[in-house]
């Protein structure tokens, strides 16, 4: 990954970033010798966000497949969340698998 110093950025401006991004998808900006920021093109950012959302969706599907979820009403959910926030530490009932509605193709 290409590294720019804050001084490079100050003196050369956006051209320093464009030059770094010409050969790599990301560039690191260091301040006082320590890496502090990462710069990338918007298309690269959108790609990474999509990957992050895909990973979250896969994790949710795995949790549902393993029965690691709770099926409850909105009122019961709010009561459980409020109990957790108040520090009672009661996470509520153990996860109970819901009835699955499987669509037939």
């Amino acid at each position: 990954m290409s590294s720019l110093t804050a001084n490079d950025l100050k003196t050369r401006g956006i051209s320093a970033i464009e030059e770094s991004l010409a050969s790599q998808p990301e560039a690191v900006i260091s301040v006082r010798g320590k890496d502090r920021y990462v710069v990338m093109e918007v298309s690269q950012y959108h790609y990474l966000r999509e990957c992050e959302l895909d990973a979250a969706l896969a994790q949710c599907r795995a949790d549902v497949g393993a029965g690691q979820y709770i099926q409850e009403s909105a009122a019961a959910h709010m009561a459980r969340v409020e109990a957790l926030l108040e520090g009672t530490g009661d996470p509520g009932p153990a996860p109970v698998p819901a009835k699955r509605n499987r669509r037939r193709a």
Side-chain angles (χ1 to χ4, degrees), residues 2-23:
S2 180
S3 183
L4 295 169
T5 65
N7 192 50
D8 287 339
L9 195 55
K10 181 179 175 182
T11 58
R12 295 177 46 217
I14 195 72
S15 64
I17 294 174
E18 289 175 338
E19 184 179 303
S20 292
L21 294 179
S23 60

Side-chain angles (χ1 to χ4, degrees), residues 46-73:
H46 288 303
Y47 170 75
L48 293 175
R49 278 294 290 152
E50 187 175 334
C51 290
E52 185 178 40
L53 294 171
D54 286 343
L57 181 59
Q59 180 63 49
C60 289
R61 286 180 175 158
D63 287 345
V64 168
Q68 297 296 317
Y69 64 96
I70 298 172
Q71 182 176 0
E72 61 191 356
S73 68

Side-chain angles (χ1 to χ4, degrees), residues 69-95:
Y69 64 96
I70 298 172
Q71 182 176 0
E72 61 191 356
S73 68
H77 176 72
M78 290 306 299
R80 187 168 53 85
V81 169
E82 287 171 1
L84 287 171
L85 291 174
E86 290 172 0
T88 63
D90 181 18

Side-chain angles (χ1 to χ4, degrees), residues 29-48:
I29 298 174
S30 63
V31 179
R32 295 186 184 100
K34 294 186 179 184
D35 293 345
R36 293 282 310 266
Y37 305 100
V38 176
V39 181
M40 64 186 73
E41 291 187 8
V42 171
S43 60
Q44 177 70 6
Y45 172 76
H46 288 303
Y47 170 75
L48 293 175

